[in-house]
Amino acid sequence: MAKNKIPKNRSLNEMMAGIKEEITFENTAWDDEETGKRPVVNRAGKKQTAADFRAQFFTPDLQEKVGNLLLDIKMAYYKDGIGDISFEVVKDGRNVLIKTVPKTSKKLKQQ
């Protein structure tokens, strides 16, 4: 019975030579950075990025509805004499809240 010797001090590339891993959602990294992303290929063959996945939830119809509501809120602030507002998006359980706060100018902060 012959013993096989295990080579020592091999690099990771030498040990993993010839092995190809199938890319799935479990082993794919979803970074917010644009560089270093591994695109996922959908069934139609088009490459899809993490930004594409996020954008599919915000359909044009939903964008229009949210835009109209934000415009109404902006106009209500304007009628009260407040020109600039800022938005903050917050996750509350299974809900998404968009909070509006009037922006304070530098002149008001100094007084």
Side-chain angles (χ1 to χ4, degrees), residues 2-8 10:
K3 282 190 174 182
N4 291 335
K5 287 195 170 189
I6 299 173
K8 304 288 182 188
R10 293 182 357 177

Side-chain angles (χ1 to χ4, degrees), residues 11-12 14 31 39 42 49 54 57-58 75 79 90 93 105:
S11 70
L12 186 59
E14 291 173 342
D31 297 329
N42 63 10
T49 63
R54 287 189 294 267
F57 296 111
F58 209 60
M75 293 306 294
K79 287 177 183 175
V90 180
S105 67

Side-chain angles (χ1 to χ4, degrees), residues 70-83:
L70 292 175
L71 180 61
D72 290 343
I73 292 169
K74 173 93 172 164
M75 293 306 294
Y77 273 111
Y78 184 73
K79 287 177 183 175
D80 292 339
I82 300 170

Side-chain angles (χ1 to χ4, degrees), residues 9-73:
N9 300 325
R10 293 182 357 177
S11 70
L12 186 59
N13 289 336
E14 291 173 342
M15 289 188 283
M16 302 303 281
I19 297 175
K20 291 188 179 182
E21 183 177 22
E22 180 181 340
I23 296 175
T24 63
F25 75 95
E26 296 163 332
N27 59 11
T28 301
W30 292 106
D31 297 329
D32 286 336
E33 299 174 7
E34 290 298 322
T35 58
K37 281 188 181 179
R38 284 192 271 171
V40 176
V41 178
N42 63 10
R43 292 181 185 164
K46 179 185 170 196
K47 292 185 178 181
Q48 210 169 24
T49 63
D52 294 333
F53 278 124
R54 287 189 294 267
Q56 75 183 356
F57 296 111
F58 209 60
T59 62
D61 183 43
L62 183 60
Q63 288 178 17
E64 185 177 343
K65 288 178 183 177
V66 171
N68 288 335
L69 292 173
L70 292 175
L71 180 61
D72 290 343
I73 292 169

